[in-house]
Amino acid sequence: MEAGEVAVKIENLTKYYGQEKILDSITLTVKQGEAVGIAGPNGAGKSTLLRIIAGLEPPTQGKVIVRGRVGYVPQEVILLPWRTLRGNILLAAKLRKIPRHRAEEVIRWGARLLGLEEYLNKRPYQVSGGTRRKTQILMALATDPEILLLDEPFTGLDRDTITALQKAIDRMRRSENLTIIIVSHMIDEILPIVDKLYILTHKPARIKEILE
Amino acid sequence: MVFGVTSRKPPILVVTAATYPILLSNLLAAVRAVDDQYMILARSLGATKLQELTYFILPGIVPYLAGASRAAIGIALRISVVAEAFGASGGVGYWLVYSYDYGYREGVFAWAWILIILMIALDLLILKPIERWSTKWKLEK
């Protein structure tokens, strides 16, 4: 996929949970290599939108077109406690049928970039929340994605870790030509690393404003 | 076999009958208790049903099964001693009842002590370490 081509296209997306309307006629386009932020209050439906883009939930109405492999980083850090951090990352790559040597390569540069090298052989309960979150991001990267979906990647992290992670995400995006969609309830955290910011209203979420 | 039973069938049948219900009920409870989050992760990584079972469910239920196995083996041992007492021609249970029947008091106490020491040793030296090893990640989580 070439830069400038459409990577994600969402048209009139509406989502209901039972009778409750969560997303209302969302339309947005993300081009290849672009970093897009989606901000809005807690409970607005940002995570639902991201899960629909990731293909984990179906939309009630509307169309979602995703061109390229998707790497999804959920809001809750989910790592298998019986595996080391390296074991978790390699499992993600294996399930996505990424060759072992390619996964090892991603672990090498990704761990250096994210400052994870010394923790790779530890288990999730032996490391900090920030390290676990970085591992989750590296897990998604090991699946060789073209589109990276990050759900509240800075939640629960201290200022220094947030700054380091922002830099790492920005560098990864440029070096791997990734398309990135980041969802957060805190605009300040995502503003420095996105090209375009969509602001959603509270339930049902509609696009209120687009900042470029 | 450790207890000197001459036929292999009775202890196998007794152990199976005693442990099967405990292991089955714990297995079902363990599968239900596997964190839903692991399934979200599995799905987000495109895991097949077989991969979900192999990489996410089975390792997740090992700690529950290890605990259940420890309890089940303890029960099975007690039952097999009783079974030996009434239906075997060897083993601790048989010799205990044999000593009792012939009024050999020292023999009764000796076999009772052997039984107690064997059960404690089995639990502390084998079953408990296995349980601790298999649940290490769960305890330290």
Side-chain angles (χ1 to χ4, degrees):
Chain A
M1 202 161 32
E2 307 246 327
E5 277 186 42
V6 172
V8 178
K9 193 173 176 66
I10 298 171
E11 284 175 6
N12 287 315
L13 170 68
T14 299
K15 177 74 180 175
Y16 281 88
Y17 282 141
Q19 296 297 311
E20 193 180 10
K21 193 188 253 185
I22 307 294
L23 301 171
D24 187 13
S25 305
I26 304 282
T27 295
L28 66 89
T29 304
V30 183
K31 288 180 181 161
Q32 166 64 21
E34 221 175 18
V36 167
I38 299 170
N42 281 327
K46 305 183 296 294
S47 296
T48 305
L49 177 58
L50 214 59
R51 280 199 299 274
I52 291 172
I53 298 171
L56 296 172
E57 277 188 45
T60 310
Q61 285 164 23
K63 213 157 72 175
V64 179
I65 300 165
V66 178
R67 294 201 183 101
R69 283 184 304 278
V70 172
Y72 170 64
V73 181
Q75 185 173 356
E76 294 275 324
V77 176
I78 314 169
L79 296 171
L80 302 178
W82 54 85
R83 284 181 168 260
T84 60
L85 302 189
R86 178 190 293 279
N88 272 281
I89 298 164
L90 287 174
L91 177 64
K94 186 176 180 177
L95 295 178
R96 285 290 189 196
K97 298 186 176 68
I98 304 300
R100 172 88 182 215
H101 67 87
R102 171 68 186 145
E104 292 283 3
E105 195 183 305
V106 174
I107 289 177
R108 258 197 308 280
W109 68 256
R112 199 179 316 125
L113 197 66
L114 293 166
L116 284 176
E117 284 159 310
E118 60 182 299
Y119 305 110
L120 286 174
N121 293 322
K122 292 190 182 294
R123 289 175 202 277
Y125 53 82
Q126 295 172 316
V127 299
S128 68
T131 303
R132 285 200 288 270
R133 191 163 287 278
K134 287 176 187 173
T135 306
Q136 191 90 65
I137 293 173
L138 196 48
M139 256 173 101
L141 285 174
T143 62
D144 218 2
E146 291 160 289
I147 302 159
L148 187 62
L149 308 176
L150 300 160
D151 193 350
E152 304 273 4
F154 307 116
T155 302
L157 303 181
D158 61 61
R159 195 66 253 167
D160 289 347
T161 312
I162 289 174
T163 309
L165 198 51
Q166 283 170 334
K167 280 184 188 159
I169 290 171
D170 199 44
R171 282 169 67 182
M172 280 182 312
R173 172 203 164 191
R174 289 175 204 287
S175 67
E176 298 294 298
N177 193 30
L178 284 173
T179 304
I180 294 182
I181 302 178
I182 305 182
V183 148
S184 178
H185 65 284
M186 292 170 81
I187 294 175
D188 293 354
E189 290 174 350
I190 54 174
L191 209 49
I193 50 171
V194 297
D195 304 314
K196 203 186 272 181
L197 183 68
Y198 289 87
I199 297 175
L200 299 183
T201 58
H202 197 257
K203 256 184 251 176
R206 286 195 204 100
I207 292 174
K208 190 168 115 187
E209 213 176 332
I210 306 169
L211 305 173
E212 296 204 39
Chain B
M1 266 36 82
V2 174
F3 291 81
V5 176
T6 45
S7 167
R8 288 176 184 223
K9 283 178 192 162
I12 290 172
L13 284 173
V14 167
V15 169
T16 307
T19 55
Y20 174 73
I22 298 172
L23 289 177
L24 184 68
S25 61
N26 274 277
L27 177 70
L28 294 175
V31 170
R32 276 195 294 270
V34 169
D35 205 326
D36 285 346
Q37 298 280 24
Y38 300 155
M39 293 300 104
I40 293 173
L41 180 65
R43 278 194 288 274
S44 77
L45 292 171
T48 62
K49 289 284 169 204
L50 183 64
Q51 287 170 329
E52 279 183 15
L53 184 71
T54 314
Y55 296 113
F56 297 85
I57 297 174
L58 286 181
I61 65 173
V62 165
Y64 298 93
L65 282 188
S69 302
R70 190 177 161 202
I73 288 171
I75 292 169
L77 271 179
R78 282 178 212 121
I79 294 174
S80 50
V81 167
V82 175
E84 282 168 3
F86 295 106
S89 54
V92 175
Y94 169 81
W95 288 113
L96 208 148
V97 171
Y98 179 89
S99 304
Y100 176 79
D101 286 345
Y102 285 90
Y104 182 37
R105 194 190 296 166
E106 291 85 351
V108 172
F109 279 105
W111 284 112
W113 273 112
I114 289 171
L115 179 63
I116 290 166
I117 290 166
L118 273 175
M119 289 182 85
I120 292 173
L122 181 71
D123 189 61
L124 290 182
L125 302 177
I126 300 172
L127 299 177
K128 199 174 176 185
I130 290 174
E131 187 190 2
R132 281 192 72 82
W133 173 78
S134 66
T135 58
K136 198 169 181 284
W137 60 263
K138 199 159 179 58
L139 294 171
E140 293 181 25
K141 208 169 131 182

